[in-house]
């Protein structure tokens, strides 16, 4: 999804900032649709060109092998946004997705103190989404035991139209549905679209979601969405490039071992943090984004 609005608005700014600062060349590669086969092929093709480094959005475990192949062929490779923890990647730069699940669960409890039935939408097999859903459910169980029932976990393939269709089906299947949590960038827009089309009023169903376009923040002002979790996305790619640059250039060693000899001169994980958008701060954020 190389032209995903979220990437264009934030991630690519971080790439450019790092490239300008370090004096290196960066290139974006990948299919425009959520096409894992094409994505895998792209990683293989790029690594075959022996670049100085590669950063991969690890959306699916099937990317583990091509990432390992990159490293086996001498191409330093990190992951950003979504991790591949079973791969040999040198570092992951992004949000703690367990913390995202906790943040959405906190907002759900705050807005549904009596609990109820909730459904989850995400990219179902992505490691980061799995971690988010686990964090969400664990927090509900710990902080509101017996109050919430997760009735469905649906795959929307990071497509707002699919998210809308899945939400409409959930509304029909569970007339007493109380909350919906969306964990990819397109989930929230699809959820709100289905709620509007289904005649739901703001607040009828509590919605927590991830950041998307500038316009999406208006759904918080309108009351359709109670909390949007914002990742520090510009830092993903900014520090991914910096980690790759440092791996190649900082000359630091691990117990005397250089990077070429098996040392690790960069940290294995960089947590870029998150921000929760709600009624208290949405006006300030919308104003800042509109400049």
């Amino acid at each position: 999804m190389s032209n995903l609005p979220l990437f264009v608005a934030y991630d690519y700014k971080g790439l450019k900032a790092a490239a300008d600062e370090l004096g290196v060349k960066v290139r974006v590669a990948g299919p425009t649709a959520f096409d894992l086969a094409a994505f895998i092929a792209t990683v293989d093709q790029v690594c075959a060109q022996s670049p100085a480094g590669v950063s991969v959005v690890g959306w699916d475990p099937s990317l583990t092998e091509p990432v390992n192949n990159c490293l086996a062929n001498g191409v330093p490779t990190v992951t950003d946004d979504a991790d591949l923890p079973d791969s040999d990647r040198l570092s992951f730069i992004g949000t703690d997705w367990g913390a995202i699940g906790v943040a959405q669960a906190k907002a759900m409890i705050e807005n549904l103190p009596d609990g109820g039935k909730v459904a989850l939408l995400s990219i179902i097999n992505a490691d980061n989404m799995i971690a988010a859903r686990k964090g969400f459910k664990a927090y509900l169980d710990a902080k509101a035991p017996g109050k919430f029932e997760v009735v469905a976990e649906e795959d929307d393939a990071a497509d707002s139209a699919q998210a809308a269709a899945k939400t409409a089906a959930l509304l029909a299947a569970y007339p007493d549905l109380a909350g919906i949590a969306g964990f990819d960038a397109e989930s929230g827009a699809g959820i709100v679209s289905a709620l509007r089309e289904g005649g739901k009023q703001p607040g009828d169903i509590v919605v927590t979601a991830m950041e998307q376009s500038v316009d999406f923040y208006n759904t918080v002002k309108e009351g359709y969405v109670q909390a949007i979790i914002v990742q520090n996305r510009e830092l993903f790619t900014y520090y991914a490039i910096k980690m790759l640059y440092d791996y190649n250039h900082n000359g630091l060693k691990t117990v005397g071992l250089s990077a070429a000899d098996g040392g690790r001169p960069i940290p294995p994980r960089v947590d870029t943090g998150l921000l929760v958008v709600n009624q208290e701060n949405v006006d300030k954020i919308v104003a800042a984004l509109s400049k």
Side-chain angles (χ1 to χ4, degrees), residues 9-64:
Y10 302 108
D11 301 45
Y12 297 165
K13 288 182 180 178
L15 274 180
K16 185 179 186 307
D20 290 347
E21 182 178 328
L22 299 171
V24 301
K25 295 180 180 179
V26 297
R27 180 168 68 91
V28 174
T32 58
F34 190 79
D35 184 338
L36 283 171
F39 194 11
I40 289 169
T42 301
V43 175
D44 289 336
Q45 291 162 7
V46 168
C47 287
Q49 298 166 14
S50 300
V54 171
S55 186
V56 175
V57 178
W59 266 346
D60 190 87
S62 61
L63 290 157
T64 296

Side-chain angles (χ1 to χ4, degrees), residues 160-244:
S160 60
Q162 289 197 43
K166 293 292 176 71
T167 300
L170 287 166
L171 295 176
Y174 304 98
D176 55 347
L177 191 67
I180 306 176
F183 290 102
D184 63 68
E186 297 296 304
S187 297
I191 292 167
V192 173
S193 176
L195 293 180
R196 293 186 196 274
E197 291 180 9
K200 297 294 184 181
Q201 298 301 308
D204 284 352
I205 292 181
V206 171
V207 177
T208 61
M210 304 300 294
E211 80 269 36
Q212 203 228 23
S213 66
V214 174
D215 288 342
F216 187 61
Y217 291 96
N218 288 322
T219 63
V220 173
K221 297 182 70 171
E222 296 165 352
Y224 274 106
V225 176
Q226 279 62 53
I228 297 175
I229 312 305
V230 175
Q231 301 175 83
N232 228 347
R233 299 197 65 90
E234 293 180 21
L235 297 189
F236 294 176
T237 47
Y238 178 81
Y239 280 106
I241 298 301
K242 287 208 159 187
M243 289 297 104
L244 291 167

Side-chain angles (χ1 to χ4, degrees), residues 83-255:
D83 195 14
L84 296 168
D86 294 327
S87 74
D88 299 327
R89 57 90 173 133
L90 301 173
S91 182
F92 165 64
I93 303 93
T95 313
D96 178 344
W97 276 79
I100 285 178
V102 168
Q104 290 211 31
K106 283 182 178 179
M108 193 66 70
I109 292 172
E110 288 170 2
N111 289 278
L112 278 176
D114 294 330
K117 294 180 179 179
V118 297
L120 316 182
L121 269 64
S122 67
I123 306 170
I124 205 73
N125 288 323
D127 176 79
N128 57 342
M129 308 283 170
I130 292 171
R133 298 195 307 269
K134 285 183 177 178
F136 182 91
K137 291 182 288 186
Y139 192 86
L140 289 185
D141 288 343
K143 301 298 183 179
K147 287 188 175 183
F148 288 88
E149 178 187 0
V150 176
V151 295
E153 298 184 45
E154 299 290 340
D155 187 359
D156 62 21
D159 182 285
S160 60
Q162 289 197 43
K166 293 292 176 71
T167 300
L170 287 166
L171 295 176
Y174 304 98
D176 55 347
L177 191 67
I180 306 176
F183 290 102
D184 63 68
E186 297 296 304
S187 297
I191 292 167
V192 173
S193 176
L195 293 180
R196 293 186 196 274
E197 291 180 9
K200 297 294 184 181
Q201 298 301 308
D204 284 352
I205 292 181
V206 171
V207 177
T208 61
M210 304 300 294
E211 80 269 36
Q212 203 228 23
S213 66
V214 174
D215 288 342
F216 187 61
Y217 291 96
N218 288 322
T219 63
V220 173
K221 297 182 70 171
E222 296 165 352
Y224 274 106
V225 176
Q226 279 62 53
I228 297 175
I229 312 305
V230 175
Q231 301 175 83
N232 228 347
R233 299 197 65 90
E234 293 180 21
L235 297 189
F236 294 176
T237 47
Y238 178 81
Y239 280 106
I241 298 301
K242 287 208 159 187
M243 289 297 104
L244 291 167
Y245 188 89
D246 277 356
Y247 185 84
N248 285 321
H249 296 290
N250 68 15
L252 301 178
K253 298 181 179 181
T254 307
V255 290

